[in-house]
Amino acid sequence: MSEYEDQPAGGDEYGHDAPTYEEPHDHTIVAQFTDGSQVGVVDVDHDGYADIVASDADGDGRPEVVYTDEHGGVALDTAYVDANEDGNPERVYADTNEDGRVDAAAADTDHDGQLDLAAFDRNFDGRVDQVQSDPDEDGNIDRTVTDTDFDGVADTVHYGDNDTNPYARN
C-alpha cells in the first residue's frame, strides 16, 4: 500500500490550487486547475520537447491559444489565437526562421473564417516588408503592398481585384 493511495485525486496536501494532470500514452500532459482552466502539452515526435501547447483559460473545453512547432527544432514557433472561441483562429503569428521574432502574422478581422490581413518580414530584419489585405472581405487577397528593396518604404502595390483597384476602369 502506497502512502499516496489515501490522498484524493488532485493532491489536497498541496492546497486547493494544485493542478491535477493526466498523462496518456501518446505523450500528452493535461493540467486542469481548480478554476476550470486547462493547459495541454503534446510531444508528438517523442524528442522530449513540446510540439503543441494549448491553453483553455476559461475552462470551456476550447483552447483560446494554441502554440505549435511548425518548423522543426526545439522552439514553439507558431501561435493560433481564437479569441471568440468559435473554433477558427482569428490571428496567427509565426516565427518562420526560429530567431525568436514573429516573421508572419495573419488575421481574420471580420470573423468569417477567411483571411483578411497578413503581414510578413521576408528578410528577417524585424520590419514588415509585405502586407496583403482583403478590403472588400470577399475571401480573396485584393491588395499586396511590398517593400522590394527592404529600406522600410513601400515600393510596389499589386491589385488582384478590379473592384478594389482605384486605377481600374469599370
Side-chain angles (χ1 to χ4, degrees):
M1 183 163 171
S2 166
E3 67 184 79
Y4 299 106
E5 284 182 358
D6 294 333
Q7 294 295 326
D12 272 356
E13 70 274 20
Y14 297 113
H16 295 290
D17 293 331
T20 61
Y21 65 93
E22 302 169 20
E23 193 167 346
H25 301 294
D26 64 354
H27 295 265
T28 301
I29 297 173
V30 178
Q32 298 175 329
F33 300 92
T34 56
D35 65 356
S37 62
Q38 301 178 36
V39 175
V41 179
V42 182
D43 178 10
V44 177
D45 55 10
H46 312 291
D47 65 355
Y49 295 100
D51 297 307
I52 302 170
V53 175
S55 173
D56 176 14
D58 59 11
D60 66 354
R62 291 185 228 150
E64 291 85 26
V65 182
V66 176
Y67 300 94
T68 61
D69 179 11
E70 302 276 337
H71 307 289
V74 298
L76 296 172
D77 46 41
T78 306
Y80 299 87
V81 180
D82 183 11
N84 67 357
E85 298 185 69
D86 64 353
N88 297 314
E90 287 81 39
R91 297 181 308 269
V92 177
Y93 304 96
D95 175 10
T96 60
N97 66 344
E98 294 190 347
D99 65 353
R101 295 189 292 193
V102 173
D103 307 314
D108 173 14
T109 58
D110 61 358
H111 308 288
D112 66 354
Q114 298 180 344
L115 179 67
D116 298 311
L117 183 64
F120 303 94
D121 176 9
R122 296 175 305 132
N123 68 338
F124 312 116
D125 66 351
R127 294 187 301 191
V128 172
D129 46 51
Q130 186 176 70
V131 176
Q132 299 175 348
S133 62
D134 178 16
D136 61 1
E137 299 176 341
D138 65 354
N140 298 313
I141 295 298
D142 300 318
R143 181 175 39 227
T144 302
V145 179
T146 307
D147 174 10
T148 55
D149 58 5
F150 307 112
D151 65 353
V153 178
D155 297 307
T156 63
V157 178
H158 172 78
Y159 293 96
D161 185 355
N162 284 338
D163 293 336
T164 60
N165 184 342
Y167 305 107
R169 292 186 187 191
N170 292 329

